[in-house]
Amino acid sequence: MIVQVAGTLTAAQPGYVIVMAHGLGLGLDIPRETYERLPGVGSPVQLFTHLIVREDQWRLIGFATERERAVFLDLIDISGVGVKAALSVMSQLGIQGLAEAVRQGQWKLIQKAPGIGAKMAQRIQLELGTKWGGTTEVLAEPALPSDAGPVDDEVLEALRLLGYQDGEARRALGQVTAEEATERLRQALRWLGGGPQSPPRS
């Protein structure tokens, strides 16, 4: 079983990434929250994984955190919920949003995920509610991981104040080379295009 992959991020788009590891280009399907946590293309990346093995296909699913993987496994354990449906729900609601929908019995929020009908949404709400026992605190996402020092913390906070999301701010920081905070911020903004918008995808 492949439970973790570490290598260089060579391509990234919503729902899919390629990681080069030991000479192998691994394609992984990912949920939205994982995509938002990715570093810039060309940067080192580490993902938790789950391998789906079928007669006609092997499919590797990647996650930024073990919590995401645990929620995914709980979802595909529900009868009728496959990989596509599980990723759709996770991408639509996020972990904490799903946990809140389950806790509050709001299955219609789950139904908003593409490809999820009313019956499936109700089944997901019911079965996860039973499995999780009404406790959602353990599913709350931790703060975004960072091995950056105070300088990057300062730059990240500046980018947030300018309206950028954490994921795109971190991807931008992965592309800068300056050491001083002001110049790092300037380079990050240049890479982002100078205004709060999604950075270019590779």
Side-chain angles (χ1 to χ4, degrees), residues 5 15-19 26-30 47-49 60-62:
V5 167
Y16 188 77
V17 297
I18 298 176
V19 177
L26 303 175
L28 300 93
D29 296 302
I30 57 171
L47 296 173
F48 298 95
T49 61
L60 195 59
I61 319 297

Side-chain angles (χ1 to χ4, degrees), residues 13 17 31 33-34 47 112 128 139 152 164 170 174-175 177 199:
Q13 61 186 35
V17 297
E33 287 184 327
T34 292
L47 296 173
K112 291 182 178 181
L128 290 185
L139 297 174
D152 274 357
Y164 291 98
R170 290 187 185 280
Q175 305 301 311
T177 58

